[in-house]
Amino acid sequence: VVGTGVIGRSWAIVFARAGCRARLYDRDVQQAEKAAELLLPWKTQISVHTDLASALEGVGYVQENSPESLEIKRQVFRDLDAAADPAAILASSTSAFDMSRIADGLPGARRCIIAHPVNPPHVIPAVEVLSGTATDPDVVERTCAFLASVGQTPVRMHKYIHGFLLNRMQFALVREAISLFEQGVADLDDIDAVIRDGLGLRWALMGPFAVANTNADGGIRQYLTGHEQWLMELMDGLGGTPRVDAGLIARLGDAIDQAPGGARRQELRVWRDRMIARINELKRKEPSPR
Ligand SMILES: NC(=O)c1ccc[n+]([C@@H]2O[C@H](COP(=O)([O-])OP(=O)(O)OC[C@H]3O[C@@H](n4cnc5c(N)ncnc54)[C@H](O)[C@@H]3O)[C@@H](O)[C@H]2O)c1
């Protein structure tokens, strides 16, 4: 695990929990030591390294989690490619960059791949897996198989698009939520409630297509045909991006401070992660008919 900040330390839990030996490296050794403290239950399986080459010894899969800067990622990948075993997979947690750019010109570009997690990966299993133009198809297969073996859900993308799948869908919704707030259509907590106690309950179990498919007796064909006109009008009418300026951010901040739980971020975060783990457990015990 290279880079042990928010995402790296959570990946380390994923790997250690699955029984892997995990080697931690961060340019700032205090970060790696802090991560190691979280990994005490698996202390015999983890080691902290102050030098990248020693961290990479005997490693078959590298998860890179340095800051989201193309310059930094390119340098880190140059160093990884130079020092890692030639058979090792080099996977990046990048949220935005194309592997074709990160690994451009590297002798080992064929073993470089994106494995973009959702924060925090030890709680949320989906990982977007995406090749660069030079990535070997076998590396995609091996990455997906490895991620599945440590309990994650690899999601394959066929090509690069800015924001990948998850953030495109997430920000389509965040944009609309901000726009509804800005237009004064409802209070902030009521906009959240529509997801929390509405759409989100279904979305924890199935995606938008499966929801559409179960929303009409005749499935997605009937859903989209029967409601064609108003749906098309609605989708066409979804506006552009609201101007998220300092004034709007301040209004959003004030509104969330006053909303229930808005000032109890840390408690909410802990509760959220605990509840997600329980939902995952429930889904494992009673898998969807598919
Ligand atoms: N935080 C999220 O919600 C989230 C979600 C998915 C993906 N990601 C991606 O994960 C990556 C890491 O994000 P984060 O939120 O954990 O950031 P972070 O700032 O918490 O951690 C980055 C870590 O990288 C270390 N670092 C800096 N330069 C380094 C180098 N040259 N070699 C090794 N380590 C180095 C820093 O010391 C720090 O510990 C980014 O690419 C980000 O886009 C983040």
Side-chain angles (χ1 to χ4, degrees):
V1 177
V2 172
T4 55
V6 173
I7 287 296
R9 58 184 182 241
S10 174
W11 269 121
I13 296 175
V14 169
F15 301 136
R17 182 177 64 187
C20 301
R21 274 179 298 146
R23 301 165 80 90
L24 313 186
Y25 169 80
D26 196 289
R27 203 179 53 172
D28 173 358
V29 69
Q30 282 178 345
Q31 282 284 82
E33 278 163 2
K34 209 167 99 188
E37 279 167 28
L38 286 177
L39 289 153
L40 281 180
W42 303 279
K43 63 174 185 273
T44 57
Q45 286 161 246
I46 61 145
S47 51
V48 171
H49 300 263
T50 49
D51 157 63
L52 183 62
S54 91
L56 292 171
E57 261 169 44
V59 165
Y61 179 92
V62 177
Q63 186 73 42
E64 174 278 327
N65 321 279
S66 62
E68 191 69 7
S69 138
L70 185 58
E71 210 176 301
I72 296 176
K73 301 264 187 219
R74 283 175 56 85
Q75 182 59 52
V76 171
F77 268 76
R78 266 198 295 276
D79 296 345
L80 290 174
D81 192 34
D85 182 281
I89 290 174
L90 309 180
S92 175
S93 292
T94 183
S95 305
F97 299 118
D98 185 343
M99 187 43 81
S100 308
R101 295 178 72 197
I102 296 177
D104 184 33
L106 288 188
R110 52 161 189 82
R111 40 92 163 249
C112 298
I113 191 163
I114 292 172
H116 173 243
V118 188
N119 183 29
H122 73 280
V123 178
I124 304 195
V127 182
E128 294 174 309
V129 175
L130 172 58
S131 311
T133 42
T135 311
D136 191 312
D138 180 55
V139 168
V140 181
E141 293 304 322
R142 284 165 54 213
T143 301
C144 289
F146 174 64
L147 290 171
S149 78
V150 294
Q152 302 301 99
T153 307
V155 173
R156 290 168 194 242
M157 289 183 61
H158 299 314
K159 58 179 172 187
Y160 174 81
I161 185 165
H162 187 43
F164 309 159
L165 301 174
L166 183 131
N167 277 325
R168 290 187 79 86
M169 290 200 271
Q170 170 163 245
F171 281 96
L173 194 67
V174 170
R175 178 177 72 171
E176 186 58 24
I178 293 175
S179 165
L180 292 168
F181 172 82
E182 198 257 335
Q183 294 177 63
V185 176
D187 288 347
L188 175 139
D189 191 53
D190 288 315
I191 298 172
D192 264 356
V194 164
I195 302 299
R196 184 178 65 225
D197 295 331
L199 295 171
L201 291 173
R202 291 198 299 229
W203 285 342
L205 303 175
M206 53 179 87
F209 294 126
V211 166
N213 199 35
T214 48
N215 263 0
D217 288 343
I220 195 167
R221 292 178 190 83
Q222 186 192 352
Y223 180 78
L224 289 174
T225 315
H227 305 272
E228 200 168 16
Q229 196 182 339
W230 78 266
L231 267 186
M232 295 307 145
E233 274 170 22
L234 175 63
M235 288 196 277
D236 278 348
L238 290 170
T241 308
R243 248 173 59 90
V244 186
D245 55 17
L248 180 53
I249 295 173
R251 280 174 54 213
L252 277 164
D254 291 346
I256 198 126
D257 285 348
Q258 283 156 28
R264 296 162 72 186
R265 259 195 304 279
Q266 190 47 29
E267 273 170 81
L268 263 180
R269 207 180 264 168
V270 170
W271 176 80
R272 176 198 70 185
D273 289 354
R274 194 173 62 236
M275 293 299 282
I276 293 172
R278 291 178 65 182
I279 293 169
N280 281 333
E281 189 51 38
L282 207 54
K283 285 165 73 172
R284 257 193 302 276
K285 277 197 193 134
E286 205 173 316
S288 73
R290 50 183 290 153

